[in-house]
Amino acid sequence: MNIFLKLYLNFNYTVSMILFLIGLYTIISKSNLIKKLIGLNIMETSVFLFFISIGAVKGGRAPILEGTASQVQYVNPLPQALILTGIVVAVSTTALALSLIIKIYEHCGTIEAEKLKEMEEGR
Amino acid sequence: MNITYHFPILVVALPLVGGALTPFVGKINKRYCALWSILITFFSLIISLFLVLKLALTKKPINYYLGGWSPPYGIEIRFDELSAASAVILGLILLALIFSWRYVQKELDERSVVPYYSLFLLNTAGMVGFVVTGDIFNLFVFLEILSLSAYALVAIGGERIAEMAAFKYLLMGAISSLAVLLGIAFLYSITGTLNMYDLHQRLQHTPYLKTASLAFSLFLIGFCVKAAIFPLHIWLPDAHAIAPCPVSALLSGLVVKSGILGILRIISIYGLHTVLNLTFLNSFLAWLGTISIVLGAFFAFFQNDIKMMLAYSTISNIGYIVLGIGLADYYGLVGGIVHIFNHAIIKVTLFLCSGAIIYRTGLRTLSDLRGIGRKMPITMACMSIAIIAITGIPPTNGFICKWFIAIGAVQRDKPLFAVALLFGALFIFAYYIKILNSAYFREPIRKEVEEAIEAPLSLLIPILLLTSACLVFGILAYAPLAFIKPFVERLLA
Amino acid sequence: MKNKIFNQAIIITGLLAFALLSLSAVAEMPRFGDPNNPPNLHVVDRYLEKGEEEAGCKNVVTDIILNYRGYDTMGEVTVIFTALCAALAILKRENFYTSFSLLDTSPNKTSIVVRTIIALMFPLIFLFGLYVILHGEDTPGGGFQGGTVIAASLILFILVFGFRYTLNKLSPKFREFFESMAPLSFFLVGSLSLIIGLEFLSYMLPIFSEGYRLEVARLLLSFIEIGIGVGGAAIFTSLFFSMQREEK
């Protein structure tokens, strides 16, 4: 029971790990390319959730300085800064993947991975 | 304060801003893009060689604090012996760009030429930034720059199979980048810092062992996908075979090496002894490497298309490097790391030679290319020397690394690995004999081969330079070995 | 059929094994929300204490992304620029004669209600985006955040009014200038400090007297923010434009 209590106290981390695995399952087992891309986005969101939750502080305020910093408890601003970069990277990957999907659809007429594999083996 | 003080950042910033300005150069005139990218890479190469020389003379890593903030409050650039790979990267890219000048004019759609050079320069900036940085989140950002441009360069040919291969590469690469980011998150949560040297200090005394080992496994999975180590290598054959030839050279020679350099960085953060205690790295990496060697060599033997053959050969040689690193003793590590350098030169030579052949004849399969040896003598002679190099016969540069890895395996009382090494070498020898046989000792059956003439000068010059580099570094084999020695000693201490 | 179930079983077993490993590591991690866990103790206290006097902004996140870790943000804008180059390499830029959206080819235009409301809201959303870009220093906001709001307003406009109508106003030539602004603004500010002799991307330039240095740092930060914001907006809009394709 001890481990379940610890997992409950670290609730954000637990949920983000579960979301990561749901995203990974979606990428592996769904056949439609767009669904795979959505699975990738779920995985990315879970990693961002994980990273930002590291910086949470109970009772902390947003890191906009108001006067003296030593009396007010602030949330950790560093993970937020890093994830801003991370979100842009995720958007870039999604944009590139969508461009590839558009071209694949133009050339092959389908975006189902199984049909594409058949086409590739047939050529 | 003279300009040489700022060289560590200029070696990254110059290709980066060059890539950002390439669309403007392209608007002035499309033909200037090639010259522009060659000039930028040339100047970055000079800066990088200066830094390597300074490092070789002083034997201390060069630090540069961006924005003036000392670490861990700011990002630092730490130019140590692994960062000397930036000189290799820039040199090989310069030669690939000289090769691309004529090649992309003929093979690519003309609207893709300007983005091609832009992506090439951004990929360069990504790789150089990846090897020189001293901050782990910065490592991730530059890993993404080089990965995204690599995905796009695979698809730039425009054919249907190119886009499917690029999509497969993108999915696996994106998952691996996320694994690396998750590993960074775990490390940050238990240490609170992102600077590599600071992380190394803090990880020695951390009480959170399970988290640290999970972070290490995530890093390993992420970088193994990027480096195409068995069993996560399935994206590589399609992606490298279908991309245009200079891009294949870039990918096989340099981008997969960034995965290996990432593994080396992570091992140096954790410390080799911690890693050997934390996980079963002791034999795990070595076994993966051996399976890659045998598998790569085996599949390469049965391929008909030269570029597929070279792609599987890359998997095999990455297996050698990983075997060397996995043996975790002096000879294995030195052999493995120097093989990164030597294999890059040889593989780029091989891909550029096949590029010259494809440029002149348009054919890629061995059965079509019979008799090409007599029609394109210089190209095939260079290819033969590169083949001798990759098999590991002295006096070429492939020999010394494999010799060192074999000594390392024997010293660690694991002669099985040395046997696998020999087995791989024999297989490689066999299939390259297939290429030479087909090229020299058969009669041409295709019209394009009969009408072929020698490749133009701008394609031949990079090939000749690279072939001479293979021979030079085979004779002067001890130069890179002595250079990498301080890094390995620091790692083993 | 049996093969499929077998595959699914293997996948789920693998994922469950990974779940067990990761959850055991998560249980061991420092507690969520603990003000004394390692990340909150080590580097961040200096950012929170001396952020305003060293880096110039009350918003500590902007301090970090543009001043302390500006090099990472330079990498980030390079990533988004790479994505644009990649999309243009694969898709090729849109052409007035060959690309069009479904709205251009259908006989009905968008409903008058939607068109009126978007025509009224679009300038307000655009203005809000500009506000978010310019006010990144002392309030929540920043370059990229505002850039995405502007791009979203432009994409909304394109969706409602059609591709060809907006292509005339936002031609590729007009957008090409703004696309490279993000990496270039970083490089300009960085070279400024290189010329003076300090490290790349330093903002506290000693050529100004003591009292003005903070103002100059804030000015340079605003310059970079505008560059990132406008550059980001142009890149997203160009990405959306180049993806306009008609189904055959």
Side-chain angles (χ1 to χ4, degrees):
Chain A
M1 275 300 121
N2 207 2
I3 193 168
F4 284 115
L5 181 65
K6 285 192 194 156
L7 284 179
Y8 174 70
L9 285 178
N10 279 350
F11 189 61
N12 282 35
Y13 305 147
T14 316
V15 167
S16 58
M17 283 289 108
I18 296 179
L19 274 176
F20 188 84
L21 293 166
I22 293 177
L24 192 55
Y25 176 74
T26 314
I27 295 185
I28 299 179
S29 59
K30 293 291 179 192
S31 172
N32 192 329
L33 291 185
I34 299 260
K35 290 187 186 170
K36 285 186 198 271
L37 194 58
I38 293 180
L40 185 67
N41 271 296
I42 296 177
M43 277 176 82
E44 286 167 347
T45 309
S46 78
V47 174
F48 300 152
L49 176 65
F50 186 84
F51 216 125
I52 297 190
S53 311
I54 293 177
V57 172
K58 267 195 178 21
R61 314 179 104 206
I64 315 271
L65 294 176
E66 308 160 350
T68 48
S70 42
Q71 286 134 345
V72 186
Q73 178 76 267
Y74 289 113
V75 188
N76 193 339
L78 185 59
Q80 303 180 22
L82 302 177
I83 293 303
L84 276 175
T85 305
I87 293 179
V88 171
V89 166
V91 166
S92 309
T93 312
T94 306
L96 186 50
L98 284 172
S99 328
L100 284 173
I101 293 180
I102 290 178
K103 274 302 229 183
I104 290 179
Y105 185 68
E106 244 182 49
H107 278 168
C108 307
T110 172
I111 47 175
E112 299 282 329
E114 285 157 356
K115 295 212 187 76
L116 287 173
K117 217 195 295 195
E118 282 170 25
M119 272 195 200
E120 196 179 312
E121 277 161 17
R123 61 173 284 277
Chain B
M1 210 175 293
N2 51 351
I3 191 73
T4 62
Y5 174 68
H6 297 292
F7 273 176
I9 183 61
L10 281 180
V11 77
V12 182
L14 214 59
L16 217 146
V17 106
L21 285 177
T22 310
F24 289 123
V25 173
K27 282 215 297 184
I28 300 177
N29 189 341
K30 276 203 187 139
R31 294 176 187 276
Y32 290 166
C33 282
L35 190 61
W36 164 255
S37 46
I38 292 176
L39 277 176
I40 295 239
T41 321
F42 180 68
F43 284 123
S44 306
L45 176 64
I46 301 213
I47 297 177
S48 176
L49 284 173
F50 180 87
L51 285 169
V52 170
L53 211 61
K54 188 167 165 190
L55 183 66
L57 290 175
T58 61
K59 295 201 195 315
K60 258 185 341 121
I62 305 174
N63 289 332
Y64 185 85
Y65 304 145
L66 280 160
W69 308 109
S70 56
Y73 303 106
I75 303 180
E76 73 161 336
I77 289 189
R78 198 159 178 274
F79 199 92
D80 66 353
E81 284 83 4
L82 270 191
S83 313
S86 60
V88 179
I89 292 172
L90 286 165
L92 290 174
I93 288 192
L94 180 64
L95 294 172
L97 280 172
I98 298 180
F99 184 90
S100 308
W101 194 345
R102 279 281 197 107
Y103 191 85
V104 298
Q105 272 178 2
K106 182 173 173 200
E107 300 279 330
L108 282 190
D109 183 270
E110 67 162 47
R111 284 180 297 173
S112 299
V113 171
V114 174
Y116 172 88
Y117 285 110
S118 185
L119 285 168
F120 227 93
L121 279 177
L122 288 168
N123 200 353
T124 316
M127 281 196 282
V128 174
F130 183 86
V131 294
V132 303
T133 185
D135 181 281
I136 204 172
F137 191 76
N138 207 15
L139 193 84
F140 169 73
V141 173
F142 278 102
L143 181 69
E144 284 300 300
I145 296 181
L146 74 95
S147 303
L148 279 180
S149 38
Y151 308 147
L153 281 172
V154 170
I156 205 165
E159 307 124 20
R160 174 172 99 180
I161 43 174
E163 287 139 15
M164 297 206 290
F167 192 80
K168 197 170 15 163
Y169 183 18
L170 187 148
L171 268 187
M172 292 191 71
I175 299 179
S176 70
S177 300
L178 280 177
V180 169
L181 186 58
L182 200 55
I184 296 177
F186 275 117
L187 274 187
Y188 177 69
S189 72
I190 58 178
T191 56
T193 174
L194 291 168
N195 181 281
M196 287 190 197
Y197 189 66
D198 204 18
L199 268 177
H200 179 70
Q201 310 288 77
R202 287 181 174 239
L203 275 176
Q204 307 303 321
H205 317 292
T206 180
Y208 303 102
L209 288 178
K210 275 196 231 164
T211 317
S213 25
L214 181 69
F216 183 78
S217 327
L218 282 169
F219 279 123
L220 204 64
I221 294 178
F223 284 122
C224 278
V225 172
K226 291 273 190 245
I229 299 173
F230 175 85
L232 300 161
H233 64 284
I234 51 181
W235 58 268
L236 191 140
D238 288 325
H240 286 206
I242 292 169
C245 282
V247 172
S248 295
L250 173 79
L251 288 177
S252 256
L254 298 170
V255 173
V256 293
K257 305 304 184 339
S258 66
I260 309 262
L261 289 170
I263 295 181
L264 282 170
R265 282 279 184 224
I266 296 299
I267 293 182
S268 64
I269 288 179
Y270 273 79
L272 197 58
H273 297 289
T274 322
V275 156
L276 291 178
N277 290 337
L278 266 183
T279 66
F280 45 107
L281 180 70
N282 215 343
S283 301
F284 184 58
L285 264 189
W287 276 109
L288 283 184
T290 321
I291 301 179
S292 290
I293 296 178
V294 175
L295 216 69
F298 188 72
F299 277 116
F301 187 71
F302 296 106
Q303 298 295 326
N304 207 0
D305 182 328
I306 4 169
K307 288 179 68 175
M308 264 308 200
M309 203 184 270
L310 293 175
Y312 277 107
S313 151
T314 303
I315 298 181
S316 188
N317 278 283
I318 298 283
Y320 279 111
I321 300 175
V322 169
L323 172 62
I325 296 177
L327 287 171
D329 77 326
Y330 175 77
Y331 281 103
L333 276 170
V334 167
I337 299 179
V338 176
H339 196 50
I340 297 178
F341 165 65
N342 287 329
H343 176 246
I345 299 182
I346 303 174
K347 203 29 85 69
V348 172
T349 318
L350 282 169
F351 267 114
L352 292 188
C353 289
S354 40
I357 296 177
I358 295 179
Y359 179 81
R360 274 302 186 209
T361 63
L363 302 168
R364 300 155 54 119
T365 51
L366 268 192
S367 41
D368 284 337
L369 283 172
R370 292 189 186 166
I372 192 81
R374 273 164 285 174
K375 303 290 176 182
M376 300 180 69
I378 307 183
T379 313
M380 274 317 292
C382 294
M383 198 158 182
S384 327
I385 298 182
I387 288 174
I388 298 179
I390 207 167
T391 320
I393 302 177
T396 53
N397 55 357
F399 166 69
I400 192 75
C401 326
K402 301 197 177 164
W403 181 243
F404 264 56
I405 300 177
I407 296 182
V410 168
Q411 274 197 345
R412 285 292 228 112
D413 292 322
K414 295 191 167 87
L416 187 63
F417 292 142
V419 168
L421 205 142
L422 273 176
F423 183 71
L426 277 173
F427 245 108
I428 304 177
F429 193 57
Y431 67 71
Y432 279 119
I433 290 291
K434 253 176 64 168
I435 300 183
L436 292 178
N437 175 37
S438 175
Y440 281 114
F441 298 112
R442 300 286 194 100
E443 288 303 316
I445 56 173
R446 293 289 298 252
K447 165 171 75 82
E448 292 92 339
V449 173
E450 288 187 27
E451 294 170 359
I453 54 173
E454 189 51 71
L457 200 62
S458 75
L459 297 192
L460 271 186
I461 292 184
I463 298 179
L464 288 169
L465 281 172
L466 284 168
T467 320
S468 42
C470 286
L471 292 169
V472 161
F473 283 109
I475 300 174
L476 298 175
Y478 275 94
L481 294 171
F483 184 75
I484 205 74
K485 199 165 122 168
F487 177 74
V488 174
E489 284 175 349
R490 235 181 291 142
L491 204 58
L492 287 171
Chain C
M1 195 63 216
K2 250 180 134 183
N3 216 1
K4 267 188 111 169
I5 298 183
F6 185 62
N7 283 342
Q8 296 282 50
I10 294 205
I11 293 173
I12 294 190
T13 325
L15 290 180
L16 278 177
F18 181 71
L20 279 170
L21 286 172
S22 55
L23 288 179
S24 70
V26 162
E28 193 197 33
M29 274 171 70
R31 287 292 142 259
F32 172 70
D34 185 9
N36 290 326
N37 59 1
N40 293 335
L41 288 181
H42 180 44
V43 169
V44 187
D45 47 358
R46 174 176 166 169
Y47 291 160
L48 288 172
E49 270 175 58
K50 302 213 210 125
E52 191 170 356
E53 60 193 46
E54 280 185 335
C57 301
K58 281 205 168 79
N59 183 354
V60 186
V61 179
T62 309
D63 263 347
I64 297 179
I65 59 174
L66 290 181
N67 200 332
Y68 290 105
R69 299 186 71 96
Y71 188 46
D72 270 346
T73 314
M74 190 166 100
E76 162 205 347
V77 298
T78 311
V79 170
I80 189 74
F81 185 77
T82 310
L84 179 69
C85 279
L88 290 181
I90 297 172
L91 291 173
K92 323 277 193 306
R93 241 188 230 284
E94 71 285 1
N95 199 321
F96 190 78
Y97 302 103
T98 56
S99 321
F100 33 84
S101 64
L102 273 168
L103 200 56
D104 297 319
T105 50
S106 78
N108 311 317
K109 298 207 314 188
T110 331
S111 119
I112 184 85
V113 174
V114 178
R115 267 189 287 142
T116 316
I117 294 198
I118 296 299
L120 286 174
M121 293 296 294
F122 165 71
L124 296 174
I125 303 178
F126 195 91
L127 190 63
F128 179 69
L130 282 178
Y131 163 82
V132 169
I133 293 182
L134 291 171
H135 279 249
E137 276 136 31
D138 296 327
T139 53
F144 226 103
Q145 293 86 311
T148 38
V149 173
I150 293 185
S153 72
L154 286 172
I155 291 178
L156 186 61
F157 193 80
I158 297 170
L159 281 176
V160 170
F161 283 91
F163 173 73
R164 296 214 161 166
Y165 180 72
T166 25
L167 192 56
N168 291 326
K169 303 185 188 322
L170 291 173
S171 64
K173 284 195 192 334
F174 178 69
R175 274 180 277 127
E176 266 166 11
F177 172 66
F178 290 109
E179 281 162 12
S180 304
M181 258 178 83
L184 288 181
S185 61
F186 260 106
F187 195 64
L188 281 172
V189 170
S191 320
L192 199 61
S193 50
L194 271 188
I195 294 173
I196 293 180
L198 287 182
E199 280 90 357
F200 194 72
L201 283 183
S202 307
Y203 293 90
M204 294 299 219
L205 310 171
I207 59 173
F208 300 102
S209 62
E210 189 66 49
Y212 288 119
R213 264 184 229 172
L214 209 62
E215 287 301 315
V216 169
R218 284 174 67 103
L219 207 67
L220 289 173
L221 275 168
S222 299
F223 176 69
I224 288 191
E225 263 186 47
I226 298 177
I228 301 178
V230 174
I235 290 179
F236 283 132
T237 321
S238 290
L239 276 171
F240 185 73
F241 266 120
S242 62
M243 288 189 192
Q244 294 292 336
R245 286 278 191 280
E246 180 57 54
E247 299 183 30
K248 292 199 187 54

